[in-house]
Amino acid sequence: MKKQSVTLVQVAAKAGVSVMTASRAMSGEGYVSEETKAKVQAAAKSLGYAANALARVMKGGRTNVIGVVVNDLSSVVVNAFVSALTEEVRKYEMDLFIYNSIGQLDEQTQRRHSQLLHGLWDGLIYVLPRMTDEYLDALEKSESPIVLVNFCRRETTLPVVQGDNFNAARDAVAGLIAQGHQRIAFIKGTHWTGQSAERERGYRQAMADAGLALDAAWIEQGTFSEKSGQEACERLLALAADARPSAIFCANDEMAIGCMNAARTLNVQVPEQLSLIGFDDVSAASIVRPQLTTMRHPLPLMAQAAVQELMRRILGQPGTRQRVEFPAEMVVRESTAPAAGTTTKRRSRKA
């Protein structure tokens, strides 16, 4: 059996320091105390790291580490995608290192990350990145292998793996329209990745396709959080009876669950008086009552595509496409029903 190479992640773990600190101690770049440097070097020597992995890196070799940059580890979607990435990376016998950027990626963080982009990892995957245009510009100029996941705010020369948000949203709203709903609201999320904007575009297109008027009061701003969904829904349900929506499409499941909370508080029955559709099919969607109808992107397939695309670039092979897009599936559960006064048949469940 082929012996696996020792990685910098293992050295850092043995020394009890971060991977970045271990990298600085071994490379001599950046400040590290003499005590920490000695501890890292001792760990590297005991593992046999300096004799193999580091030597290969110094000669332009590989670290066998893939970095994943996320902005919020508390996100259910981010966690689900990182889990799928972990399974895929294992197939290549490589280590996965998760870097939580905690918020917006801007010029200041780009300077801090520059060391991460040179030598520490073989390649980087950015999941739902909250990055400024300046930060993205810097990544595009970098020679490091990089793949973005679910980023569609603007065009980029970097490869992107994403779900088809526009058509998924259009299908979701078209499904509500087929059930006789005409007053359909939309609760959008933050602008960073561009996903919410694409879902809003699909919502607007479905309404236009059906020849339905769109009231500006039906579009509410959320933040992808459950609380923001609840507050937005409370405002929508406070509209006059002849303007109040009979259905709400939310840009993610957490906001849709927030809508359920608001409806319960205001004694509005779901789905008899208010139909709800979310997006992402998080685990809670099948647990809440009523179970949430939602749109599901194939996260395992997307993770597979992201890792494969990154590995092509790490190995110097040509990429497949600059933007790989996956369709969504509607998962019909209990939170949607025909609009009051209609006889439209309810769709069969796929949950």
Side-chain angles (χ1 to χ4, degrees):
M1 181 181 293
K2 182 180 178 181
K3 184 178 179 181
Q4 293 188 9
S5 300
V6 177
T7 68
L8 191 61
V9 173
Q10 292 171 300
V11 173
K14 185 172 181 63
V17 299
S18 70
V19 178
M20 182 181 287
T21 298
S23 174
R24 289 170 176 167
M26 297 302 294
S27 67
E29 297 179 5
Y31 173 76
V32 178
S33 70
E34 290 302 319
E35 180 183 356
T36 300
K37 185 183 296 183
K39 187 173 11 177
V40 172
Q41 290 175 345
K45 183 176 181 180
S46 68
L47 292 172
Y49 178 81
N52 45 60
L54 182 60
R56 288 199 307 275
V57 173
M58 296 293 286
K59 296 177 182 178
R62 289 166 47 191
T63 64
N64 293 323
V65 178
I66 287 179
V68 178
V69 181
V70 302
N71 63 275
D72 184 6
L73 279 174
S74 67
S75 166
V76 178
V77 176
V78 168
N79 269 278
F81 194 82
V82 170
S83 294
L85 281 176
T86 301
E87 293 300 315
E88 192 62 28
V89 167
R90 284 174 181 167
K91 298 176 183 178
Y92 293 89
E93 297 184 349
M94 297 182 73
D95 287 311
L96 186 73
F97 182 86
I98 303 171
Y99 184 91
N100 190 11
S101 65
I102 312 176
Q104 176 181 333
L105 295 168
D106 53 19
E107 288 182 276
Q108 182 178 358
T109 54
Q110 193 279 326
R111 287 192 294 272
R112 191 166 70 248
H113 290 176
S114 62
Q115 190 169 9
L116 301 179
L117 296 172
H118 295 87
L120 180 57
W121 298 332
D122 290 332
L124 289 169
I125 297 175
Y126 285 79
V127 181
L128 289 168
R130 297 179 184 174
M131 58 176 62
T132 63
D133 287 338
E134 292 76 16
Y135 188 92
L136 181 57
D137 289 342
L139 292 184
E140 290 175 338
K141 295 174 184 175
S142 169
E143 296 181 357
S144 300
I146 294 171
V147 172
L148 306 182
V149 174
N150 283 336
F151 182 84
C152 51
R153 195 186 75 240
R154 59 163 251 198
E155 291 298 318
T156 175
T157 58
L158 296 173
V160 178
V161 174
Q162 68 179 49
D164 183 347
N165 294 286
F166 170 75
N167 285 306
R170 185 170 62 178
D171 290 346
V173 178
L176 291 171
I177 294 170
Q179 290 185 310
H181 294 281
Q182 296 188 3
R183 298 196 302 272
I184 302 171
F186 175 66
I187 300 178
K188 55 187 176 180
T190 54
H191 73 282
W192 288 110
T193 65
Q195 289 194 110
S196 181
E198 282 297 285
R199 292 170 190 179
E200 180 178 348
R201 191 166 70 89
Y203 158 76
R204 289 178 178 274
Q205 188 62 57
M207 296 291 280
D209 290 344
L212 296 177
L214 200 160
D215 191 327
W218 295 343
I219 300 179
E220 279 284 349
Q221 180 68 60
T223 62
F224 285 127
S225 70
E226 186 175 318
K227 181 181 178 182
S228 71
Q230 180 169 340
E231 293 172 345
C233 185
E234 288 171 352
R235 292 190 292 271
L236 289 168
L237 294 179
L239 294 173
D242 60 349
R244 186 181 307 147
S246 65
I248 302 175
F249 169 49
C250 297
N252 77 339
D253 288 344
E254 292 177 67
M255 293 194 294
I257 292 171
C259 286
M260 286 188 180
N261 296 336
R264 190 176 300 113
T265 300
L266 297 171
N267 294 317
V268 174
Q269 300 300 309
V270 177
E272 292 81 5
Q273 295 173 289
L274 178 68
S275 284
L276 295 172
I277 293 186
F279 208 115
D280 292 327
D281 193 28
V282 300
S283 58
S286 61
I287 298 173
V288 293
R289 292 293 181 271
Q291 293 180 331
L292 181 65
T293 295
T294 185
M295 304 302 295
R296 176 199 293 157
H297 277 138
L299 296 187
L301 292 178
M302 293 170 63
Q304 182 183 65
V307 174
Q308 288 178 348
E309 203 65 28
L310 187 68
M311 288 304 300
R312 289 188 185 96
R313 283 159 172 77
I314 289 173
L315 298 173
Q317 299 172 354
T320 53
R321 286 181 290 169
Q322 207 61 29
R323 190 175 291 270
V324 183
E325 196 167 63
F326 289 83
E329 172 193 4
M330 179 181 286
V331 183
V332 180
R333 296 194 176 102
E334 302 169 343
S335 65
T336 51
T342 66
T343 57
T344 307
K345 291 184 179 181
R346 190 169 179 173
R347 292 188 179 189
S348 60
R349 297 182 189 175
K350 295 183 182 179

